[in-house]
Amino acid sequence: MMNRWRVLKRLLPLVAGMALLLSACGREDLSTLSPKGPVAQKQFDLMTLSISIMALVVVVVFAICIYVLIRFRRRKGDNTVPKQVEGNHTLEIIWTVVPIILLLILGVPTINTVFGLSKDYSKDPEAVQVTVTSHQYWWEFEYPEYGIKTAQELIVPTGRKIQFKLASGDVTHAFWIPSIGGKIDTNAGLGTTNKLYLEFPNEGVFRGKCAELCGPSHALMDFKAKAVNQASFDRWVAAMKTPVSMPADENVKAAFESKCLTCHAIGETNAGSAAPNLTGVGSRLTVGGILYNDEKSAEENLKDWIAHAQTIKPGNQMPDVGTDVKYGPGKGTTATGLTEEELDGIAKYLAGQKLEY
Ligand code: CUA
């Protein structure tokens, strides 16, 4: 008894810690169990249905099993051989028909929902088209109808179908917004584009995750889906297309152009998509998808990120460019590094890149 209590006492903090950890995974809900859209709702309903049927079978089978074990157990002093039975039509019909009925109850809505959710709205003029490209370890969102590209924050209007075309720029990732729906793999090459539609009935911010092990920073490959009303979405589109001015300070401008715009693009500078598009980066909720801008200011987060991108998200394509480079291609040199003034200036400039919408 003493021993068991001691074990329990040791396990208690662990259990409490786990409960705390599991209940506090980020501020936006990352759970399929509280659906916030019709797609997630249908997925949740399927889960509820199948788990209920399974639970029912378990309860009935265990109840019969326990009843039989007790009722027909061998009693003390009873050495008679039980009556031998062979075949029982009633029972055989029951245990054939009942599972068939259960499978039908499970199968019909499953097939119905699975095919319903794979509907393609890419030709629907009412739907918003978004091309998703996954990268180690960030998400690129392109709106071909509007000619805009953004990263890490998917902005969508409420009440419309959002049709995604998904592929990967490198390895296999998976696109998943647990409270809205998904998940679906993003594959590389071979023209293997996957499709998925989602709906956002309410305004809000929904957390998205990469759901396929894709490298050392897989667990940090977060994104946000921000649903806004149609008017706000239209303002965002217009703001995204407004020309962007370069940093006012000449040194900062030179550093930004030679060290950032080689991979990144901002505004109309179409510097390819090797790295996240920086248009409106100052109004995103996070920097790098994981540093929340309400814990620290966007400027501080940007400074941290630019100087220590490899420490914050190991293995991503952005080298540490701070003067104290510890990891990545710039390690041990200051060749790719920025001076403190340049770093401050760039962080300040980027934090000021806000979109009104
Ligand atoms: Cu990308 Cu896991």
Side-chain angles (χ1 to χ4, degrees):
M1 187 61 207
M2 195 56 214
N3 220 345
R4 205 179 290 172
W5 172 237
R6 223 177 275 158
V7 172
L8 199 69
K9 230 163 62 176
R10 277 204 192 155
L11 282 177
L12 219 59
L14 185 72
V15 172
M18 291 283 278
L20 200 71
L21 202 74
L22 290 172
S23 63
C25 286
R27 62 200 80 191
E28 301 97 8
D29 208 346
L30 197 60
S31 172
T32 47
L33 303 180
S34 51
K36 300 278 166 20
V39 174
Q41 184 64 53
K42 282 175 195 159
Q43 294 177 328
F44 177 73
D45 292 346
L46 271 188
M47 280 197 287
T48 314
L49 177 71
S50 49
I51 290 169
S52 310
I53 291 176
M54 285 185 256
L56 179 75
V57 171
V58 166
V59 168
V60 170
V61 168
F62 271 71
I64 295 174
C65 186
I66 290 164
Y67 171 77
V68 169
L69 282 176
I70 294 167
R71 175 79 171 77
F72 301 105
R73 72 188 186 278
R74 185 172 166 192
R75 283 159 219 267
K76 231 183 194 158
D78 178 6
N79 286 323
T80 54
V81 175
K83 192 181 144 203
Q84 300 299 296
V85 181
E86 203 177 300
N88 183 319
H89 276 124
T90 320
L91 280 177
E92 282 160 13
I93 288 168
I94 290 175
W95 69 54
T96 307
V97 171
V98 171
I100 288 175
I101 293 171
L102 289 180
L103 281 181
L104 282 175
I105 297 175
L106 188 61
V108 171
T110 300
I111 291 172
N112 217 352
T113 309
V114 167
F115 281 90
L117 292 183
S118 65
K119 248 179 118 176
D120 183 359
Y121 291 92
S122 45
K123 297 274 179 312
D124 185 343
E126 292 297 304
V128 178
Q129 310 296 325
V130 179
T131 307
V132 178
T133 310
S134 56
H135 301 266
Q136 282 172 320
Y137 302 92
W138 60 281
W139 297 90
E140 183 181 343
F141 304 113
E142 185 179 1
Y143 300 68
E145 300 156 295
Y146 306 104
I148 53 181
K149 236 181 220 179
T150 188
Q152 300 297 64
E153 241 173 74
L154 170 76
I155 312 289
V156 288
T158 51
R160 287 172 69 184
K161 300 262 187 324
I162 316 295
Q163 175 67 49
F164 297 95
K165 269 194 192 123
L166 312 99
S168 179
D170 39 50
V171 300
T172 303
H173 305 264
F175 176 88
W176 193 28
I177 310 172
S179 59
I180 297 293
K183 60 186 103 143
I184 193 156
D185 275 2
T186 60
N187 300 314
L190 303 168
T192 48
T193 303
N194 280 334
K195 285 179 178 172
L196 171 78
Y197 87 84
L198 293 175
E199 280 177 274
F200 299 74
N202 303 308
E203 290 181 29
V205 176
F206 308 94
R207 191 166 163 211
K209 268 267 173 205
C210 175
E212 180 74 47
L213 184 62
C214 56
S217 285
H218 154 70
L220 304 172
M221 198 169 155
D222 282 24
F223 65 98
K224 303 277 177 286
K226 194 174 176 188
V228 296
N229 62 47
Q230 183 65 46
S232 177
F233 179 75
D234 293 338
R235 284 196 294 274
W236 177 74
V237 170
M240 282 295 287
K241 301 184 87 157
T242 309
V244 171
S245 55
M246 287 290 115
D249 183 283
E250 278 306 316
N251 285 336
V252 174
K253 179 171 182 259
F256 181 65
E257 284 177 342
S258 65
K259 287 173 181 153
C260 305
L261 292 188
T262 39
C263 302
H264 294 273
I266 190 162
E268 298 297 295
T269 64
N270 280 318
S273 60
N277 188 299
L278 298 173
T279 315
V281 69
S283 42
R284 288 185 195 151
L285 299 160
T286 59
V287 168
I290 44 174
L291 305 176
Y292 281 83
N293 287 341
D294 55 1
E295 281 167 9
K296 279 184 174 183
S297 70
E299 187 178 334
E300 282 173 283
N301 278 333
L302 280 158
K303 228 176 121 173
D304 280 354
W305 173 257
I306 296 166
H308 309 109
Q310 287 300 321
T311 314
I312 295 166
K313 227 184 219 189
N316 85 86
Q317 298 298 310
M318 174 145 154
D320 280 344
V321 296
T323 44
D324 54 343
V325 175
K326 290 195 192 101
Y327 306 94
K331 182 185 167 197
T333 74
T334 51
T336 55
L338 298 163
T339 65
E340 279 301 318
E341 292 74 34
E342 288 166 346
L343 179 60
D344 286 347
I346 290 172
K348 199 173 171 144
Y349 164 75
L350 288 175
Q353 294 299 311
K354 289 186 192 291
L355 301 176
E356 299 292 329
Y357 63 98

